[in-house]
Amino acid sequence: MKRYLSAVLVAAALAACGPRQVEVTTGARPAVAEVGVRVTNNLTQGVNVYVVSGGSDMFLRQVAANSTETLEVRGVATGSTVTLRATTVDGSRTYTKENVVLSGTYVWQVP
């Protein structure tokens, strides 16, 4: 009886570890219009750039001193009204631009 039970347990374990059929597909991507912010940082230090939408701050990226970067804004629908915020890396100054309607790429210079 013990041999029979052992054989059944081994067979069950082998069956559980066998190959399984798995189908992997990629679903259709939702149509999301891309929006972005082209930030020109005219300061002598970098800034951390944020989008404030629906009361939530979303960090986009740090933009180096005296440089320009185009930042993609994910998760915000085209036509949304947001506030842009740039804070110097040392935290000493903050610049904001309110009531920005995002559609396409918005151009913003700091300061």
Side-chain angles (χ1 to χ4, degrees):
M1 184 68 168
K2 286 184 180 181
R3 280 189 175 169
Y4 175 75
L5 185 57
S6 295
V8 170
L9 289 174
V10 169
L14 289 175
C17 295
R20 295 181 183 178
Q21 184 96 15
V22 176
E23 183 178 331
V24 179
T25 60
T26 303
R29 289 186 166 196
V32 176
E34 291 186 22
V35 292
V37 179
R38 183 169 177 83
V39 179
T40 299
N41 179 7
N42 295 313
L43 299 171
T44 57
Q45 64 176 306
V47 292
N48 293 322
V49 179
Y50 301 85
V51 168
V52 182
S53 176
S56 297
D57 293 1
M58 180 176 20
F59 175 72
L60 296 182
R61 189 174 186 162
Q62 190 174 94
V63 177
N66 298 309
S67 66
T68 300
E69 289 198 43
T70 301
L71 312 176
E72 184 179 348
V73 180
R74 296 182 183 186
V76 177
T78 187
S80 296
T81 302
V82 300
T83 297
L84 302 177
R85 189 176 82 226
T87 303
T88 55
V89 291
D90 68 1
S92 64
R93 289 175 281 171
T94 298
Y95 302 90
T96 58
K97 179 75 174 175
E98 296 180 351
N99 298 318
V100 173
V101 177
L102 289 181
S103 59
T105 301
Y106 185 84
V107 178
W108 186 34
Q109 287 195 27
V110 177

